[in-house]
Amino acid sequence: MRKFLHRLSFTLFLWLLLMNTSFAQFDVSGTVQSAGGEPLVGVTVAVKNTNVGTATDIDGKYVIQVPPGSTTLVYSYIGYRNEEREVSGSNSVLNVVLEESASELDEVIVSGLATTVKRSNAANAVAQISAKELTGITTQSTFDAALYGKFPGVQITQNSGAPGGGINVRMRGLTSISAAAQPLYIIDGVYIDNTAISAGLNVVSAASAGGNTNVFDQDNPSNRIADLDPGDFQSVEILKGASAAAIYGSRAAGGVVIINTKRGVATPNAPQISFNQSLGWQEMLNPLGVREWDTADVASVYGSGSVEIQNFLNAQASGSLHDYEEELYGNNGLISDSRLSISSGNERTAIYASGFHRNEAGIVENTGYEKTGLRLNIDHEISRNLEVRASSNYIRSSADRGFFNNDNTGTTMGVSFASTPSWAQLNPLPDGTYPINPYAPANFLQTGALITNNEAVDRFIIGGSVTAKIINTEKNSLRLILQAGLDDYILRTTAIFPQELQFESGGNGTNGASIQGTTSSFNNNESAFLVHTYFAPTITFRTQFGLTRESFNRNTIITTATQLITGQTNVDQAASIDVYQFRTDQLDLGGFAQEEVNWDDRIIATIGLRADKSSNNFDPNQLYYYPKASLAINIAEFDFWNVESVSLLKLRAAYGQAGNFPTFGSQFTNLGSTIIDGFAGLLVNTRLGNDSIGPERQKEIEAGIDLGFLNNRIVFEGTYYKKDVEDLFIVVQVPPSSGFTSKVTNAASLQNQGIELTLNTEIIKNKNFEWLNVINFWKNRSEVTELKVPAFVTGAFGATLGTFYIDTNKSATQIVGIGPDSLIEQGNEYIVYGDYEPDFQMSFYEAFRWKNLELNFLIHWKQGGENINLTTLLTDLFGTSPDFDDTGLDPSGELTNGNYRLSQLGVTSAPWVEDAGYLRVREIGLFYTFDSKKLMSKTNDVIKGLRIGVAARNPINFFKYNSYDPEVSNFVNNGLASGVEV
């Protein structure tokens, strides 16, 4: 009986402690509007420093019950400045007008796996952009392409211009030398696969025959983040370094991209329906032209007695000299983008549904990209203490990518074009057949017309969460959050090279090839979090614990059929059939704890710890720990601060660690199949497994200052970071006596240091005219700090033409080569000709509004940073370079540009290492919005808004780089190899 009374009294004590209910509470009601008088839906109205809050309805109205006496209400809404109002029983009706804000200081950003923090209180430089900034100027074919120039600290490079994407994203410098270093993408809590998967084209192109051991590294695949539709995104946050991304542990080495999609708004009267349609075209970015030949030029390339001189004269006389650049790349590809969205709901349920269809033709005939998607997001409040959120997305896409990039057979369309002079006659004959190209192994016009190289994707992305408010009082909040997500797709690749192709007929090549692949990928993640918040009058404590589970399963099967039976494309209709299969199964388990303390928005401190284990480690039960800590001090919030013009002064510092799991198979010695005396068997591969390999590990510290002036109409953010990456994966040689040739080991360390600066200014803001300016500046420098193996070249095609060189105390992205005073045989005595890392980058975003007319544009400046331009090498070798007869490169002034470059082949690498800097207008748009009140009066409220305009991507470009585009990368799936153009 005594034990029962003890428990009962203890329970009553806890109940009285947590209840905090007062009979003297009173209601405050009112309306929240914009400066233009429009009601704002979904504005958060909260009692300051408590857990009491509500939101405005469709008419902008709200009712909230507040504690007795005087208190403060805080009104917050994305895109608007926070407002605070004192209330008491004597002013129970309170109408508020919110002003739009461009500073985003009142928006919330990620502070943990289940929590957010107001940007003005954040200790990390987390980049965030809204839907308007992401796609408000131009529609984008892929999500990663929409990121160009919009985030400081981020460098984006395209693997090719093929429809359907293929882009590498690098944050705060190089984070891995040999492993993939792409960011972790999370959309509505779902971990997204972004693997670049080969179509198996190497069997025809032999791109890897030049010594690259990865046969898929130059196969020009797209990456799967291209499937996502940026038109459905509400906001995008980028955690660029370990100090912010540490809470994601061993998957955060390349940074984290967090995507929140659009949600529904309660509209009891009628659903909100939006329809967008854009039409346009795309064309060649930077036409180079073709060489203007004369008989002397022809003789210099083909010899003075060559028949080619007469062939040239005949074509010149008959008017049949061709501009094959225009014939190959001159298609004006039509673009159509259609999307419909519906937002609806009631007081408990909000629904957002959308559908889109995009169809774009490429600048090369018979290439293009078509994508269709459907989305349904549902938020439902089951009860006052139980909420459910669900997101579902289906995407179907098809990309015809042509046949481009490096090869060692001369058959890709770009390489065969490089060797073809203008007097070649390649167009189809009257009977529809194509003539042989005598200047190359392939007639690239025939190749483009007859081959198939298609990637088709069916993808489902489904996520959901349940939030249970276990305790929800004025002073205490305890929430249980359960999340789950799955990313399931099937990728089908189809590459068909029929026998009638020049390089496949008459015993050439593979005599017809059909390469068909299927990749099934099923990834799922689950997590559970407990978040407790204690609200004191001037201090808030928030504690969270969580467990996470991520499972990744991929199965790729590529069937290659060669020596096809005439007229057949099925893989079983061939003399030779080869099957390749690659499977990965990875299970990651993690847990974390984090404590956040906020003292009256003056001092905000966070400390946390993440622990991870993975089946990719040799010991799947070994835990790796990733700590984090941060501190932000809002000096302008202290009582002693009396500088009215300075509305924000925040000092911040953060530290964190993140990792990168070993690549699949690094730990074990794999077996390969073979045939011995007609019997199938297994042989031990030549790469030795390493049972002691561990993850790559980052340790980053960042510090910064944020300044706001004139009520934050001018906001400056400055950040310095230093990121040390240890235990980098290196493929090292092992003694031949071991029976193996190599193994993957942790054998290097590097360091990145950089600065990121942002100036956000509302230059003019009144009823009729607004001018917003955002300037970003960022730069990064890397250095190899430790190397346990001899210095080595990597990531290109050798020092003769320029290559990357990993050496202690040198830049990790330096480009070296041979020179007059160095010989390859002397080992590491190379000359440094450049660095892939830019000197700095800047972006300028300008937004003007005059009444209902808007002009927006984004300018991106990349200063410095070199590429290895091997396209020029190819055209020089065949005498077709557009600038072959120009002068200016030869210091003696005797040789033309083409002859000078060729004279340096084998002597120096300098001619092919080029400045890849640029200044370009990324996006520009001019739009007019019709007056909504006048529009509704004329359409009986059927049409509530209408916006029309014109826009362009990359319309203006300035660069000296001697090729089509300095943003190139021949290689994929490699941390280092970028900026190599073939």
Side-chain angles (χ1 to χ4, degrees):
M1 185 64 179
R2 180 180 298 175
K3 185 178 292 186
F4 171 78
L5 291 175
H6 175 75
R7 290 178 176 174
L8 178 61
S9 61
F10 182 72
T11 302
L12 289 172
F13 171 76
L14 286 179
W15 180 72
L16 291 171
L17 179 67
L18 298 175
M19 188 172 64
N20 280 316
T21 300
S22 172
F23 294 103
Q25 289 179 334
F26 63 96
D27 289 342
V28 175
S29 61
T31 302
V32 183
Q33 297 179 328
S34 68
E38 297 290 334
L40 297 177
V41 184
V43 176
T44 299
V45 184
V47 179
K48 189 174 183 179
N49 296 326
T50 75
N51 194 40
V52 179
T54 187
T56 58
D57 63 15
I58 185 65
D59 298 314
K61 296 179 179 179
Y62 71 95
V63 177
I64 185 172
Q65 193 175 66
V66 300
S70 297
T71 191
T72 301
L73 293 183
V74 180
Y75 300 80
S76 57
Y77 194 53
I78 292 178
Y80 290 78
R81 287 194 177 92
N82 283 3
E83 291 288 340
E84 295 187 5
R85 294 287 190 274
E86 294 290 333
V87 295
S88 64
S90 61
N91 60 336
S92 58
V93 176
L94 197 57
N95 298 321
V96 175
V97 175
L98 296 185
E99 290 188 3
E100 288 191 59
S101 171
S103 67
E104 299 178 346
L105 290 173
D106 295 323
E107 296 183 7
V108 295
I109 57 177
V110 167
S111 65
L113 292 182
T115 58
T116 59
V117 65
K118 192 167 62 173
R119 175 181 287 276
S120 58
N121 290 337
N124 292 97
V126 176
Q128 182 186 57
I129 62 172
S130 65
K132 182 178 180 180
E133 295 169 285
L134 189 67
T135 59
I137 303 179
T138 61
T139 57
Q140 302 283 349
S141 58
T142 63
F143 162 59
D144 38 10
L147 300 179
Y148 273 115
K150 296 175 181 176
F151 291 98
V154 179
Q155 185 171 2
I156 301 174
T157 307
Q158 57 183 342
N159 302 324
S160 77
I167 288 179
N168 283 323
V169 178
R170 180 181 293 179
M171 300 186 186
R172 288 187 173 176
L174 184 70
T175 55
S176 184
I177 292 175
S178 59
Q182 293 288 313
L184 168 64
Y185 292 90
I186 300 174
I187 179 169
D188 290 336
V190 183
Y191 285 54
I192 300 298
D193 180 79
N194 187 33
T195 307
I197 300 171
S198 166
L201 305 182
N202 189 76
V203 70
V204 175
S205 68
S208 66
N212 190 309
T213 57
N214 187 344
V215 297
F216 301 129
D217 207 24
Q218 301 179 70
D219 216 1
N220 192 23
S222 64
N223 47 331
R224 295 278 51 88
I225 202 66
D227 298 334
L228 302 183
D229 172 36
D232 271 341
F233 296 170
Q234 182 64 39
S235 65
V236 176
E237 297 178 37
I238 291 190
L239 312 182
K240 292 171 285 190
S243 62
I247 204 69
Y248 291 92
S250 294
R251 303 196 66 83
V256 183
V257 178
I258 302 171
I259 303 165
N260 297 301
T261 61
K262 296 175 181 177
R263 316 300 300 190
V265 178
T267 54
N269 297 326
Q272 296 178 352
I273 301 175
S274 174
F275 177 72
N276 297 298
Q277 176 67 57
S278 67
L279 299 170
W281 75 93
Q282 55 188 345
E283 60 188 43
M284 192 178 354
L285 179 76
N286 179 42
L288 300 177
V290 296
R291 185 179 183 183
E292 298 293 333
W293 297 83
D294 59 26
T295 53
D297 296 333
V298 178
S300 68
V301 175
Y302 296 97
S304 58
S306 172
V307 68
E308 295 305 326
I309 298 176
Q310 190 59 48
N311 290 338
F312 164 71
L313 292 173
N314 292 340
Q316 188 180 52
S318 63
S320 55
L321 292 175
H322 294 270
D323 182 347
Y324 280 122
E325 180 189 61
E326 176 64 23
E327 293 191 35
L328 179 58
Y329 300 121
N331 187 48
N332 286 340
L334 296 179
I335 303 172
S336 173
D337 191 285
S338 309
R339 55 190 62 240
L340 176 71
S341 64
I342 301 174
S343 178
S344 185
N346 53 39
E347 64 276 3
R348 285 197 170 186
T349 304
I351 299 174
Y352 175 83
S354 70
F356 78 93
H357 179 75
R358 181 176 181 87
N359 193 349
E360 64 175 69
I363 63 171
V364 175
E365 289 284 355
N366 299 319
T367 66
Y369 185 46
E370 188 171 4
K371 181 164 64 175
T372 302
L374 299 172
R375 172 171 293 281
L376 178 62
N377 291 352
I378 301 176
D379 302 335
H380 179 62
E381 184 180 303
I382 298 176
S383 68
R384 188 173 182 180
N385 295 317
L386 189 62
E387 298 176 355
V388 178
R389 291 165 62 94
S391 303
S392 59
N393 190 200
Y394 169 72
I395 307 112
R396 184 185 184 98
S397 68
S398 175
D400 293 307
R401 297 176 61 81
F403 187 37
F404 287 94
N405 280 31
N406 182 46
D407 76 76
N408 284 293
T409 57
T411 55
T412 56
M413 296 164 71
V415 173
S416 55
F417 160 69
S419 64
T420 304
S422 57
W423 62 88
Q425 304 304 315
L426 305 182
N427 287 289
L429 301 172
D431 62 359
T433 62
Y434 285 83
I436 295 294
N437 182 358
Y439 309 97
N443 179 334
F444 49 85
L445 298 182
Q446 180 195 45
T447 304
L450 300 184
I451 70 152
T452 297
N453 179 19
N454 179 266
E455 294 183 348
V457 177
D458 283 280
R459 189 168 193 168
F460 287 92
I461 301 173
I462 301 174
S465 67
V466 177
T467 301
K469 300 175 183 178
I470 300 173
I471 299 174
N472 192 35
T473 68
E474 179 185 336
K475 297 297 182 184
N476 282 274
S477 168
L478 179 62
R479 292 179 296 151
L480 171 64
I481 303 171
L482 305 177
Q483 292 182 348
L486 67 87
D487 176 17
D488 181 19
Y489 68 82
I490 295 178
L491 166 69
R492 300 176 182 87
T493 59
T494 304
I496 298 174
F497 298 86
Q499 284 180 325
E500 55 264 43
L501 291 170
Q502 176 179 329
F503 55 88
E504 292 290 297
S505 62
N508 293 325
T510 64
N511 199 31
S514 179
I515 310 161
Q516 301 186 33
T518 300
T519 295
S520 59
S521 175
F522 185 86
N523 305 322
N524 59 287
N525 60 279
E526 300 85 30
S527 54
F529 312 106
L530 272 175
V531 181
H532 176 262
T533 307
Y534 174 73
F535 303 91
T538 59
I539 194 168
T540 301
F541 296 90
R542 184 162 59 182
T543 308
Q544 56 180 306
F545 299 94
L547 298 173
T548 65
R549 178 187 182 275
E550 298 91 36
S551 176
F552 304 91
N553 302 276
R554 178 165 69 90
N555 185 9
T556 296
I557 300 175
I558 298 177
T559 303
T560 301
T562 55
Q563 308 295 323
L564 289 176
I565 297 173
T566 303
Q568 300 300 307
T569 58
N570 284 7
V571 292
D572 63 338
Q573 304 294 309
S576 176
I577 301 173
D578 181 69
V579 179
Y580 163 87
Q581 183 172 16
F582 181 75
R583 299 173 60 189
T584 61
D585 295 288
Q586 181 176 342
L587 177 64
D588 302 339
L589 300 174
F592 77 96
Q594 180 171 294
E595 181 69 27
E596 301 169 72
V597 181
N598 182 334
W599 175 44
D600 204 22
D601 285 351
R602 298 174 178 178
I603 299 178
I604 303 94
T606 302
I607 188 169
L609 180 67
R610 168 92 184 209
D612 278 339
K613 62 181 182 180
S614 173
S615 60
N616 258 26
N617 297 323
F618 183 80
D619 181 357
N621 292 312
Q622 181 175 353
L623 287 171
Y624 291 89
Y625 295 94
Y626 303 95
K628 62 173 290 189
S630 65
L631 179 67
I633 304 175
N634 280 321
I635 297 176
E637 295 293 327
F638 283 85
D639 295 335
F640 64 78
W641 188 257
N642 57 8
V643 183
E644 293 186 4
S645 61
V646 180
S647 47
L648 170 69
L649 173 55
K650 180 176 68 174
L651 303 178
R652 49 185 169 82
Y655 172 82
Q657 297 184 14
N660 189 22
F661 288 122
T663 53
F664 185 82
S666 300
Q667 311 89 324
F668 306 100
T669 303
N670 298 320
L671 300 176
S673 61
T674 188
I675 302 294
I676 301 176
D677 291 334
F679 295 95
L682 295 173
L683 287 178
V684 177
N685 282 337
T686 58
R687 177 169 291 181
L688 177 65
N690 185 351
D691 59 5
S692 63
I693 193 169
E696 296 179 333
R697 195 175 193 88
Q698 291 183 18
K699 300 176 181 179
E700 182 185 64
I701 184 169
E702 75 169 46
I705 182 172
D706 299 343
L707 290 166
F709 305 92
L710 304 178
N711 197 24
N712 293 334
R713 287 186 58 178
I714 302 173
V715 176
F716 169 81
E717 298 177 12
T719 302
Y720 163 81
Y721 63 86
K722 185 177 76 170
K723 177 166 58 178
D724 292 293
V725 189
E726 302 172 349
D727 298 327
L728 288 165
F729 305 137
I730 301 292
V731 180
V732 300
Q733 304 301 309
V734 298
S737 59
S738 66
F740 299 91
T741 60
S742 63
K743 71 174 181 179
V744 181
T745 188
N746 303 110
S749 300
L750 64 84
Q751 183 181 92
N752 287 284
Q753 295 188 68
I755 59 172
E756 299 164 358
L757 309 175
T758 296
L759 181 63
N760 192 317
T761 308
E762 294 179 359
I763 298 175
I764 300 174
K765 185 176 180 63
N766 57 51
K767 183 178 181 180
N768 291 326
F769 186 69
E770 294 180 0
W771 178 9
L772 167 66
N773 166 266
V774 181
I775 302 174
N776 291 310
F777 173 93
W778 65 101
K779 67 180 298 181
N780 180 83
R781 289 291 176 270
S782 66
E783 180 183 342
V784 178
T785 55
E786 182 184 27
L787 194 60
K788 299 179 182 178
V789 296
F792 60 94
V793 298
T794 184
F797 299 102
T800 299
L801 303 173
T803 187
F804 296 97
Y805 188 55
I806 303 301
D807 194 7
T808 308
N809 300 324
K810 301 294 177 60
S811 168
T813 51
Q814 66 175 346
I815 298 174
V816 305
I818 63 172
D821 299 321
S822 67
L823 297 174
I824 297 177
E825 291 78 8
Q826 292 178 337
N828 61 356
E829 294 184 10
Y830 298 126
I831 294 176
V832 177
Y833 286 106
D835 198 300
Y836 174 71
E837 192 78 58
D839 299 334
F840 64 83
Q841 295 191 70
M842 293 187 72
S843 66
F844 307 84
Y845 174 74
E846 306 289 342
F848 300 91
R849 182 190 64 83
W850 179 65
K851 295 184 177 179
N852 293 3
L853 190 66
E854 296 177 62
L855 172 65
N856 304 276
F857 59 86
L858 176 69
I859 298 174
H860 186 189
W861 176 15
K862 172 176 172 278
Q863 176 64 34
E866 279 73 33
N867 283 354
I868 301 171
N869 181 358
L870 302 185
T871 295
T872 297
L873 171 67
L874 290 173
T875 55
D876 280 346
L877 289 172
F878 296 108
T880 60
S881 299
D883 71 332
F884 197 99
D885 301 312
D886 295 343
T887 58
L889 295 182
D890 183 6
S892 68
E894 298 178 359
L895 298 176
T896 64
N897 288 352
N899 286 316
Y900 173 74
R901 287 189 294 254
L902 290 175
S903 72
Q904 302 302 298
L905 185 60
V907 178
T908 175
S909 308
W912 298 283
V913 181
E914 291 190 28
D915 183 355
Y918 55 77
L919 178 68
R920 65 189 357 158
V921 177
R922 288 284 184 192
E923 302 177 35
I924 184 169
L926 180 66
F927 300 94
Y928 183 83
T929 303
F930 289 87
D931 186 276
S932 59
K933 293 181 180 178
K934 293 181 180 179
L935 198 64
M936 287 187 289
S937 66
K938 293 180 180 179
T939 62
N940 295 321
D941 288 353
V942 175
I943 301 178
K944 297 184 177 180
L946 181 62
R947 184 173 185 251
I948 62 172
V950 293
R953 296 197 309 264
N954 297 325
I956 303 173
N957 302 272
F958 300 97
F959 52 80
K960 296 181 180 179
Y961 185 66
N962 189 31
S963 190
Y964 292 101
D965 192 349
E967 291 177 337
V968 292
S969 176
N970 180 72
F971 298 90
V972 297
N973 290 330
N974 190 307
L976 178 61
S978 294
V980 180
E981 182 191 350
V982 186

